[in-house]
Amino acid sequence: MYTDKVMDHFQNPRNVGEIEDADGIGEVGNPTCGDMMTIYIKVKDDKIDDIKFKTFGCGAAIATSSMITELAKGKTVDDAYAISRNDVAEALNGLPDVKMHCSNLAADALQAAIDNYRSKNS
């Protein structure tokens, strides 16, 4: 059902945790499946300098959270904001159709964190 890459990010998630003095925080959830995701970002010189996540949910939700942190870290804020739901799924070598909403959550959480950062710094 899951690719080796999904299983790796589920069993060995990267960038788990919280950034206490985060520049932006994005929280999203899917009431249908119960997944809840929070992404914290630290921005330096218009780049995602640090990124962490906390996710309550299924293995796919944890894997997509982990993957989006890897995709976003080091990118400019604009480039990170452009990471799509499909980018996350493709980076994990695919997700089952019934789990695609998890990649939506990861992309939405990152965009929410960047929106929060931008609202504080506009």
Side-chain angles (χ1 to χ4, degrees):
M1 183 168 173
Y2 292 117
T3 67
D4 289 342
K5 207 160 196 181
V6 171
M7 291 305 296
D8 180 42
H9 276 268
F10 165 63
Q11 293 172 332
N12 306 293
R14 284 70 151 174
N15 305 305
V16 175
E18 186 175 330
I19 300 174
E20 285 191 27
D21 58 343
D23 294 321
I25 300 172
E27 294 180 291
V28 298
N30 184 326
T32 305
C33 65
D35 293 338
M36 298 297 298
M37 196 175 288
T38 305
I39 295 213
Y40 306 85
I41 59 171
K42 196 76 173 156
V43 179
K44 183 177 179 183
D45 299 326
D46 196 46
K47 290 189 177 177
I48 306 291
D49 186 54
D50 196 12
I51 182 168
K52 297 206 179 302
F53 77 92
K54 285 186 171 179
T55 294
F56 175 82
C58 67
I62 293 166
T64 57
S65 300
S66 174
M67 178 53 78
I68 204 153
T69 65
E70 294 234 306
L71 292 172
K73 196 168 191 174
K75 284 192 169 33
T76 66
V77 172
D78 287 343
D79 286 346
Y81 197 87
I83 297 170
S84 73
R85 299 163 173 182
N86 284 337
D87 293 336
V88 177
E90 287 176 15
L92 289 166
N93 297 329
L95 286 168
D97 287 342
V98 297
K99 293 297 181 178
M100 281 301 290
H101 65 274
C102 297
S103 67
N104 296 352
L105 276 183
D108 293 349
L110 176 59
Q111 289 175 350
I114 292 170
D115 286 340
N116 179 249
Y117 163 73
R118 287 176 171 162
S119 72
K120 292 177 181 178
N121 293 285
S122 58

